[in-house]
Amino acid sequence: EDQVTQSPEALRLQEGESSSLNCSYTVSGLRGLFWYRQDPGKGPEFLFTLYSAGEEKEKERLKATLTKKESFLHITAPKPEDSATYLCAVQAYGVSGGGADGLTFGKGTHLIIQP
Amino acid sequence: GAGVSQSPRYKVAKRGQDVALRCDPISGHVSLFWYQQALGQGPEFLTYFQNEAQLDKSGLPSDRFFAERPEGSVSTLKIQRTQQEDSAVYLCASRLGWAGSTDTQYFGPGTRLTVL
């Protein structure tokens, strides 16, 4: 069974204080790892897709990295508008090698950036 | 362009009532997904459509849950004889690519269902 564990559950930072969020995963075979941002009362908003160990992607103050067992979302000099819940999800190969299209999500990290 | 839309945004049902939740995907997207998100949890996969074909319904929690996408566009998630444990946000997502694609899944705003 595919599993995704995110840590910490919650994180409070001062504006400008950089940090990292962790996503550990266990899958039979990884097709892709996705990061989403979710604001209260809204649906998840896509940030990044990573496909293989060693891959990195950046967008503004966010940088996502991937190893064979985990992914990190690094937040550099965050601003209050970066406050949100960050969700990690995996898309795995099916047991028979076919595509498993539904994403398996972690519980998310609730990030608060204080001015 | 228009994103994924869902209606109603909020639904209150009495225990035992039937409800129908609607999803309008991004135009041209082949794949459509339904997820259930309980308070404080990540979304959990319910079912997947490729055009009008329901290819995976392994996440539907019971036979009270039924989904359809008859013309390969709009989808409806129906819950019969609602129970309190069905209270959650129901999210719809659409994706351009076919089965097995790792294209981005774009989510709608969700329908918050409260069962009294």
Side-chain angles (χ1 to χ4, degrees), chain B residues 12-18 81-85 114-116:
Chain B
V12 178
K14 292 183 179 178
R15 188 162 55 97
Q17 284 185 331
D18 298 349
R81 305 181 302 281
T82 52
Q83 303 295 315
Q84 285 190 321
E85 61 262 29
T114 302
V115 181
L116 302 176

Side-chain angles (χ1 to χ4, degrees), chain B residues 96-112:
Chain B
L96 180 64
W98 296 73
S101 164
T102 52
D103 290 348
T104 301
Q105 293 186 26
Y106 294 95
F107 284 81
T111 295
R112 179 177 296 277

Side-chain angles (χ1 to χ4, degrees), chain A residues 31 34 36 38 41-44 46 49 51 87 91 99 101-103 105-107, chain B residues 9 33 35 37 41-43 45 48 91 95 99-102 104-105 107-109:
Chain A
R31 277 188 177 268
F34 300 80
Y36 284 85
Q38 186 171 29
K42 297 188 176 181
F46 172 74
T49 307
Y51 296 100
L87 296 166
Q91 183 177 349
D101 290 83
L103 299 180
F105 281 85
K107 292 183 179 181
Chain B
R9 290 294 317 279
F33 303 81
Y35 292 84
Q37 186 172 26
Q41 304 294 311
F45 170 76
Y48 163 60
L91 294 164
R95 181 184 73 187
S101 164
T102 52
T104 301
Q105 293 186 26
F107 284 81

Side-chain angles (χ1 to χ4, degrees), chain B residues 1 6 13 20-21 27-28 30 40 43 45 50 54 60 106 108:
Chain B
Q6 294 186 244
L21 312 180
S27 178
V30 169
F45 170 76
Q50 178 176 279
Q54 189 174 20
L60 295 176
Y106 294 95

Side-chain angles (χ1 to χ4, degrees), chain A residues 30-109:
Chain A
L30 182 69
R31 277 188 177 268
L33 185 140
F34 300 80
W35 282 98
Y36 284 85
R37 166 192 172 129
Q38 186 171 29
D39 293 298
K42 297 188 176 181
E45 176 187 345
F46 172 74
L47 294 173
F48 304 108
T49 307
L50 301 167
Y51 296 100
S52 57
E55 189 175 1
E56 300 182 352
K57 288 192 177 173
E58 284 188 70
K59 177 181 177 181
E60 296 181 353
R61 295 177 293 281
L62 300 177
K63 178 180 175 180
T65 63
L66 181 65
T67 73
K68 289 188 178 180
K69 294 184 178 181
E70 56 192 353
S71 178
F72 292 93
L73 185 65
H74 307 279
I75 302 177
T76 302
K79 299 181 178 181
E81 54 261 42
D82 295 323
S83 298
T85 295
Y86 290 85
L87 296 166
C88 173
V90 296
Q91 183 177 349
Y93 284 93
V95 173
S96 63
D101 290 83
L103 299 180
T104 300
F105 281 85
K107 292 183 179 181
T109 292

Side-chain angles (χ1 to χ4, degrees), chain B residues 46-100:
Chain B
L46 295 177
T47 188
Y48 163 60
F49 289 87
Q50 178 176 279
N51 292 317
E52 69 279 3
Q54 189 174 20
L55 298 188
D56 186 349
K57 53 182 181 179
S58 62
L60 295 176
S62 76
D63 58 8
R64 296 186 295 105
F65 287 71
F66 172 77
E68 59 182 5
R69 193 187 185 197
E71 297 180 356
S73 179
V74 171
S75 178
T76 304
L77 176 67
K78 297 179 179 178
I79 309 173
Q80 296 177 325
R81 305 181 302 281
T82 52
Q83 303 295 315
Q84 285 190 321
E85 61 262 29
D86 300 334
S87 295
V89 174
Y90 291 85
L91 294 164
C92 176
S94 72
R95 181 184 73 187
L96 180 64
W98 296 73

